[in-house]
Amino acid sequence: MNPGCFIFRISLTVWTVAAPFLAAAPGENTQVCAPCHAKETAAFLKSPMGNSLAPPSPLAGGHVARKNSGIEISISDREGRMIHSLSSNGLTAEYPVAYQIGAGKIGYTYMVRVKDYLYESPASWYRQHGWDTSPGYERMASPDFDRLIDSQCLFCHADNGKFVGSDGRRFSGVALNPIGCDRCHGPGEEHARQPSAKNIINPSKLPPRARNSICEQCHLEGETRLLNPGKTWQDFHPGDELERTAAIYLLTQKNREVKAVEQAEQLALSQCVRSSGGKLWCATCHNPHGQAADRVSQIRDVCQSCHSTLSKAAHAAVTECVSCHMPRLTPDDIPHTASTDHRILRRPAPLPNVENAGAEIAAWQDPPPQFRARDLAVAALVIGGTHGLGPLRDTGVQLLEALPQPEKDHDPEVLSSLVSIRLQSRELEQAREFARRATEVQPDSGFASLNLALALQNSGDDAGADRQLLHTIDLDPSLQPAWVNLVFLYEKQGRQTEKIALLDRYLKWNPQNIWFRQLKAMLRQPH
C-alpha cells in the first residue's frame, strides 16, 4: 500500500475479464551473463531468486471452504490453464492465472492480469499444507478478487515490473521476468561487451552499507517502506545505499509478532554480526549462485571459523548448528510457513512480549538529511494508524504540521497525509485546499482525485463530488471506493436511473465482481 494517505489508500480494487497470458522467462540480463558465467547462471536459474516468478506450475486441483461463511474457492485446470474460482452467496467469479509468485520452497501465490491491473488470487498453495486462503485474505469476511498488486508489491518478485502513472498501479503490459543477475550485479550489457571488474558490481567488494542494501531491498520489510520524494522502486541500483531511494522504519520495541520478511532486521541483532566488524553478512551463508550440496557442513564450517573451540558438555554429539541456534519461527503474516531465526542466539528464546502503547519508531538507516523530517512524519502517521497507536499517530501529525511550507505545497505524500488529517479533524476547508493542491501536483493520480472527491463530499458539495468521482473513475477504474461513493450519492439524491446506469458501467468494466453484482440486485429490488 502506498502509505501517503493511510485512510483512503485502501486496496479495495476489483477484477474484470482476463487479458492474454504473458509468459515469464529469464531476464535479458541473465541471458547476457550465461556465455561467460555458465556455471553460475545455471545454478542461479535453479535458485529461489531465479524462480521468483513464472507461469503457474501444474498442480493438482483443490478446494478451500471458509468455515461458517458460505465462501468456497476452487482450483482447476482448463485447456492447460490454471483457473481460480470463488463462490459466495450463489454467485461465482473465476479467472485464469497469469503468473505464480514464489519458487515453491514455501509455496506459491498467484496473480491474474486484468486489462491494465494485476491482482492476487485468494487461493495460494503451501508446501506444508496444500491449498488455502492467500495471505491478506484470511481475515476478510467477504473476500473477492480484490487485492491489487502494485509496483511496490512486485518489486521483489519481478525483474522488470513496469507500471504507468504516479500511483504505481496501472501495469504497463510488458511481460514479467523473474529476478535476474542485474538485481545484485547491476546492468551487464557494457560488461558483456568489454568484460572488466570496473563495469560490473561485485557485492562482496562493496562497502558494507551498499553491500547490505542489495539484500535489504527484498529481505527487510520493516513496519513501513517509504519512497523518498521523486523516487520509484526501480531507481534503486546495486552499489547504491537503499535509504537514498527508500526509507524503512521499525518499531523500537519489538513484540512477539514475527514477519516472514525480516531476515535482515533479525541478523542485525546477532552478536555474531556485531562482533565480526562487518565481515559476517548474508552471503557468508547464502550463495545465490547455488547452495553447497552438503549444507550442514557448509554452515558448520562458517560457525567454526570463529567458534573453533566448543563446550564438550553442550556439543558432545552435535554435528550441525542451525537447529539449536537458528530454530524455525512461525510468521504471523503468512500462514502455514516457517522462517529461520536469524538472530543466531546462544540460547534461543522467543521475542519479548512488550506493549506497543508507548512505542516509538526509528529509521533502519537514516535517509538523506533533506528527507528525514518528512519521512519520519509520514512513517509515524502510517505506523500509528496501522497499529492503532494514537500517541505515535499524533506525533506524525505534529511532525507533518512542522514541515516547511514548500514540502506541504509540492510533496504528494505529505499533501495526501494532510488531507486525511484535516478530514478527521473536520477542518474541511483546509482539507479541500490540500486535496486540490495534490491533484495539481499529480494530475494523473486516481488517489489524489479520490481524496479531493471525498473532501468535497464531506463539505456538502455533492455536485463537485459527483464530477470529481467521475473523473477518478476515468483516471483509475480499479478504485472501487470511487464507484461506491458515487452509487450512494445517487441513491441519496434519488437518481435511480443514473445509479443503475453507473452500476451497469462498472459491471461492463468488471462483469465478475461479486459485491457489485449483489449491490445491483439489491438496488433493483422494490423498497
Side-chain angles (χ1 to χ4, degrees):
M1 182 179 75
N2 194 328
C5 183
F6 70 90
I7 295 175
F8 302 116
R9 294 195 172 192
I10 300 172
S11 183
L12 294 174
T13 46
V14 289
W15 299 20
T16 183
V17 179
F21 170 74
L22 296 173
E28 293 181 3
N29 188 269
T30 304
Q31 297 170 6
V32 166
C33 300
C36 295
H37 304 281
K39 181 180 177 181
E40 291 83 358
T41 302
F44 176 78
L45 291 175
K46 296 178 181 178
S47 72
M49 284 178 60
N51 290 275
S52 59
L53 181 142
S57 301
L59 290 171
H63 182 82
V64 179
R66 294 279 298 271
K67 293 182 180 179
N68 304 318
S69 68
I71 295 170
E72 297 186 356
I73 305 170
S74 63
I75 302 92
S76 60
D77 178 88
R78 189 178 304 161
E79 298 178 353
R81 300 288 307 274
M82 181 182 283
I83 307 294
H84 285 196
S85 304
L86 183 145
S87 297
S88 175
N89 297 317
L91 297 173
T92 298
E94 66 174 33
Y95 305 90
V97 171
Y99 297 101
Q100 70 184 22
I101 294 175
K105 184 177 181 180
I106 294 174
Y108 299 119
T109 292
Y110 297 90
M111 277 195 301
V112 168
R113 181 190 172 197
V114 180
K115 292 186 177 177
D116 296 333
Y117 300 91
L118 298 172
Y119 297 87
E120 179 190 17
S121 168
S124 288
W125 180 81
Y126 302 90
R127 179 168 292 279
Q128 299 300 322
H129 178 82
W131 292 103
D132 206 346
T133 309
S134 296
Y137 279 99
E138 64 272 7
R139 294 183 180 89
M140 290 185 180
S142 301
D144 204 338
F145 293 85
D146 57 5
R147 283 178 59 82
L148 182 85
I149 294 176
D150 60 14
S151 58
Q152 180 173 349
C153 297
L154 204 59
F155 174 64
C156 291
H157 300 283
D159 214 28
N160 61 332
K162 294 181 175 62
F163 289 78
V164 178
S166 56
D167 289 338
R169 293 165 58 88
R170 191 183 295 271
F171 179 50
S172 66
V174 176
L176 298 175
N177 298 320
I179 296 299
C181 304
D182 55 318
R183 288 301 288 269
C184 296
H185 297 287
E189 289 79 4
E190 178 61 27
H191 179 75
R193 285 192 292 269
Q194 294 182 324
S196 167
K198 296 180 180 181
N199 59 14
I200 198 70
I201 296 294
N202 181 342
S204 66
K205 304 295 184 182
L206 292 172
R209 184 66 220 120
R211 177 198 70 191
N212 294 344
S213 290
I214 291 174
C215 304
E216 291 167 4
Q217 63 177 310
C218 294
H219 292 278
L220 178 64
E221 185 176 19
E223 294 296 331
T224 191
R225 293 160 63 101
L226 301 174
L227 285 170
N228 290 323
K231 294 292 187 178
T232 70
W233 292 104
Q234 285 67 38
D235 287 330
F236 173 76
H237 301 289
D240 297 342
E241 295 177 346
L242 179 59
E243 55 271 16
R244 300 186 67 83
T245 298
I248 301 170
Y249 286 84
L250 315 174
L251 281 166
T252 55
Q253 297 184 62
K254 183 72 175 179
N255 60 20
R256 287 184 185 274
E257 182 183 28
V258 177
K259 293 186 177 181
V261 186
E262 60 178 18
Q263 294 91 343
E265 182 181 349
Q266 291 175 0
L267 189 62
L269 298 173
S270 166
Q271 186 62 41
C272 296
V273 169
R274 288 181 288 179
S275 300
S276 74
K279 293 180 180 179
L280 179 61
W281 66 297
C282 303
T284 304
C285 298
H286 297 282
N287 181 358
H289 299 143
Q291 302 292 2
D294 188 348
R295 183 80 169 132
V296 170
S297 296
Q298 179 196 22
I299 300 301
R300 186 177 62 238
D301 290 345
V302 170
C303 296
Q304 290 185 334
S305 67
C306 289
H307 303 282
S308 56
T309 302
L310 301 174
S311 164
K312 293 183 178 179
H315 299 85
V318 173
T319 59
E320 56 90 24
C321 309
V322 170
S323 61
C324 287
H325 299 285
M326 302 180 71
R328 303 290 275 173
L329 300 174
T330 301
D332 293 282
D333 54 348
I334 300 182
H336 312 303
T337 62
S339 60
T340 300
D341 187 344
H342 279 70
R343 293 176 297 165
I344 321 178
L345 297 177
R346 183 178 182 183
R347 293 183 176 87
L351 290 165
N353 189 16
V354 300
E355 293 292 333
N356 278 335
E360 297 180 350
I361 62 171
W364 172 255
Q365 300 289 335
D366 281 328
Q370 65 269 31
F371 303 140
R372 288 177 188 173
R374 176 263 195 192
D375 286 353
L376 181 61
V378 176
L381 195 66
V382 171
I383 297 171
T386 300
H387 292 281
L389 303 173
L392 182 58
R393 184 188 178 278
D394 292 342
T395 297
V397 173
Q398 295 169 8
L399 292 171
L400 278 168
E401 300 285 11
L403 290 177
Q405 195 62 41
E407 293 188 49
K408 295 181 182 179
D409 290 340
H410 300 288
D411 189 319
E413 297 295 341
V414 171
L415 284 165
S416 57
S417 298
L418 288 168
V419 174
S420 300
I421 292 168
R422 295 295 187 264
L423 285 176
Q424 284 202 338
S425 62
R426 303 303 296 170
E427 298 174 85
L428 300 179
E429 183 177 350
Q430 291 189 43
R432 293 196 306 272
E433 291 176 2
F434 284 126
R436 288 190 190 281
R437 180 59 185 155
T439 61
E440 294 170 358
V441 173
Q442 285 188 330
D444 68 335
S445 170
F447 278 131
S449 179
L450 177 59
N451 280 339
L452 176 55
L454 295 173
L456 292 169
Q457 196 167 13
N458 276 270
S459 301
D461 184 358
D462 287 348
D466 185 347
R467 292 190 296 270
Q468 199 66 40
L469 287 168
L470 287 170
H471 181 60
T472 302
I473 290 168
D474 290 337
L475 286 174
D476 186 350
S478 76
L479 279 173
Q480 194 182 66
W483 299 88
V484 173
N485 277 272
L486 197 52
V487 165
F488 286 103
L489 176 61
Y490 291 169
E491 172 76 9
K492 182 183 76 171
Q493 296 175 337
R495 297 161 65 180
Q496 184 73 10
T497 301
E498 290 169 276
K499 177 181 63 180
I500 297 300
L502 183 68
L503 288 170
D504 287 339
R505 177 184 170 186
Y506 177 86
L507 290 170
K508 182 178 180 181
W509 183 80
N510 177 23
Q512 295 204 61
N513 182 268
I514 291 175
W515 192 86
F516 264 80
R517 282 189 278 166
Q518 291 173 337
L519 179 62
K520 181 177 179 181
M522 178 184 69
L523 293 178
R524 281 192 179 277
Q525 293 174 358
H527 295 286

